[in-house]
Amino acid sequence: MESPDISRNEASFNIENGAIKPDQITHDIPASAHSVGHDTWQQVGLMLVTCFNCGWILSFSNLMLVPLGWAWGIPILLLIGLFTAYANWLLAGFHFIDGKRFIRSRDLIGHLFGREMYYVTWISQSAIFVLGNMGFILLGGKALKEMNIMFSDSVMRLQYFIIITGFAYFLFAMIVPNMSAMRVWSGASAILTFGYTGVLIVAIVIDGKSNSHKDYQVTGSIVDKVLNAFSAISVIIVCNTSGMLPEIQSTLRKPAITNMRKALAVQFTAGLVVYYGVSIVGYWAYGSEVSDYLPKELSGPRWAKVLINLAVFLQNIISQHLFLQPVHEALDTKFLKLDEGIYSKENLKRRFFLRALLFTGCTIVTAAIPFMGDFINLLGSFTLVLLTFIFPSMIFIKVKGKTARAEQRAWHWTIIFVSSILAVATTVSAVRLIATDVKKYKLFANQ
């Protein structure tokens, strides 16, 4: 079937001047208000490394390793990292099917499995991206509050900093309309990322050497340990994948499949070393008592804490923009005038209202329910398992099932079966965590 967003007019798919490359017009490309086929793999690789090393990594020591401990934690980190890299590598190979370029996950799934699955995919993705953005807003607010604590005896409520963060994200989304426009900002993000992670690791190592009372014991009943372990697994999935690979791949120049795989290689080497490294060093230094926001633990000089929190806030502005791009792209393609330039007066006005509505909603919900761990756990449960592990194998069986060897089909059916069980288990764990926090915190809690 043809999914709802597929356009029959290749020449109209983009409203940015010069976005259509001569060697791509032989493919049937969907209409989009954003750039397609424009970026190099180096640009996308750098963007993946910096965006996956956003402020969320400051929570991973607590959320990933505390529930698992050393014995289970390190093997599971390596296993999920390896398998996530494989699943993304596999999905990148299905960017073109029957001469059509699929620039959105929902278009690809809808084309192969029908209209209902198109909407299942789009709803799942939308939930991921909106929840993820709330998590980014919360992280930015916490970073600002930490700086406020260091400079003032009268600390403002977290909600004020959440509002400031939401407004900053809105401004950036107006200035940088799409993923390809992030190329200059990716360089700035890289400087911020490697700067703050470098200072952070040095400060943590110093603390770790002076901390002689580290406790790595995994506490709780058997049921608690099992459910907390699944929560940790969902967070590990979050830190390795986005659920939007076709959308990222859509920006790449030809050959898009090879270039996407090169960019993924950069993410799962250079990028993974950083976000796993920070998580492991944080757990080593502070043990099972490590905070869900690492800068809170630092006993080093005040300038280091200020630098880290400020860099996290600024870097998150750039990173959150990548992970909300599918929502921006869908709204822009639906409501902007595709026959006018993206910076035309009318499109600027429309984009202003679209971005204002989106970020106002995300900011209000974040201020009301500021539970950082819940955002990340729910994000990595059913939806990301579905998009990252289950869908690529379903696509392989659908596209290549008749010609594939029996052991290949068995391998992908096994992935679907095991991943389905994992999705259920991680979702149950995430819902349990939310239910616990709802009892513990009030609306608009000042954490």
Side-chain angles (χ1 to χ4, degrees), residues 78-92 240-241 245 261 264-265 267-269 272 388-389:
L78 296 175
L79 179 63
I80 293 180
L82 181 64
F83 197 71
T84 305
Y86 163 74
N88 280 278
W89 179 90
L90 177 67
L91 182 58
N240 281 291
T241 191
L245 187 131
R261 287 173 172 170
L264 287 170
Q267 176 197 337
F268 285 100
T269 51
L272 182 142
T388 302
F389 300 137

Side-chain angles (χ1 to χ4, degrees), residues 56 59 62-63 127 131-132 134-135 138 142 231 234-235 238 292 369-381 426-427 429-441 447:
W56 279 20
S59 302
N62 173 278
L63 298 177
L131 280 173
M134 293 176 189
L138 184 54
K142 282 182 174 287
S231 292
S234 70
V235 177
V238 168
D292 66 351
I369 315 173
F371 312 142
M372 183 180 299
D374 294 7
F375 284 112
I376 302 175
N377 280 305
L378 187 60
L379 183 62
S381 55
T426 53
T427 301
S429 176
V431 171
R432 169 180 171 270
L433 181 63
I434 292 172
T436 300
D437 281 347
V438 165
K439 296 176 182 178
K440 188 186 303 183
Y441 298 106
Q447 288 186 276

Side-chain angles (χ1 to χ4, degrees), residues 50-228:
T50 57
C51 290
F52 275 95
N53 279 293
C54 60
W56 279 20
I57 68 173
L58 303 178
S59 302
F60 287 162
S61 298
N62 173 278
L63 298 177
M64 294 193 308
L65 289 171
V66 170
L68 294 172
W70 289 122
W72 285 100
I74 300 302
I76 290 177
L77 282 175
L78 296 175
L79 179 63
I80 293 180
L82 181 64
F83 197 71
T84 305
Y86 163 74
N88 280 278
W89 179 90
L90 177 67
L91 182 58
F94 295 108
H95 196 59
F96 299 95
I97 298 176
D98 299 330
K100 297 179 180 179
R101 183 171 190 173
F102 291 93
I103 66 172
R104 309 178 186 95
S105 299
R106 62 186 185 276
D107 289 346
L108 175 58
I109 297 298
H111 176 78
L112 294 174
F113 299 103
R115 190 178 185 87
E116 291 77 12
M117 287 302 295
Y118 171 94
Y119 289 111
V120 167
T121 306
W122 181 220
I123 291 171
S124 299
Q125 281 192 304
S126 298
I128 286 176
F129 304 139
V130 172
L131 280 173
N133 192 257
M134 293 176 189
F136 273 111
I137 293 173
L138 184 54
L139 274 168
K142 282 182 174 287
L144 290 178
K145 185 177 180 180
E146 285 299 305
M147 287 190 286
N148 180 226
I149 290 172
M150 286 181 276
F151 288 103
S152 175
D153 294 329
S154 178
V155 181
M156 294 195 302
R157 290 182 59 86
L158 175 62
Q159 279 69 24
Y160 291 115
F161 299 111
I162 287 174
I163 293 170
I164 294 170
T165 303
F167 183 70
Y169 291 180
F170 160 74
L171 287 180
F172 189 79
M174 284 298 300
I175 296 169
V176 184
N178 55 50
M179 206 181 300
S180 289
M182 292 176 65
R183 65 177 65 88
V184 175
W185 296 96
S186 292
S189 181
I191 294 171
L192 291 168
T193 298
F194 294 114
Y196 92 79
T197 54
V199 174
L200 178 67
I201 289 174
V202 170
I204 290 174
V205 169
I206 293 173
D207 281 357
K209 288 182 177 180
S210 62
N211 182 8
S212 58
H213 303 288
K214 303 166 191 170
D215 179 14
Y216 302 112
Q217 186 70 30
V218 179
T219 59
S221 65
I222 296 297
V223 173
D224 286 339
K225 289 180 179 179
V226 171
L227 290 175
N228 290 339

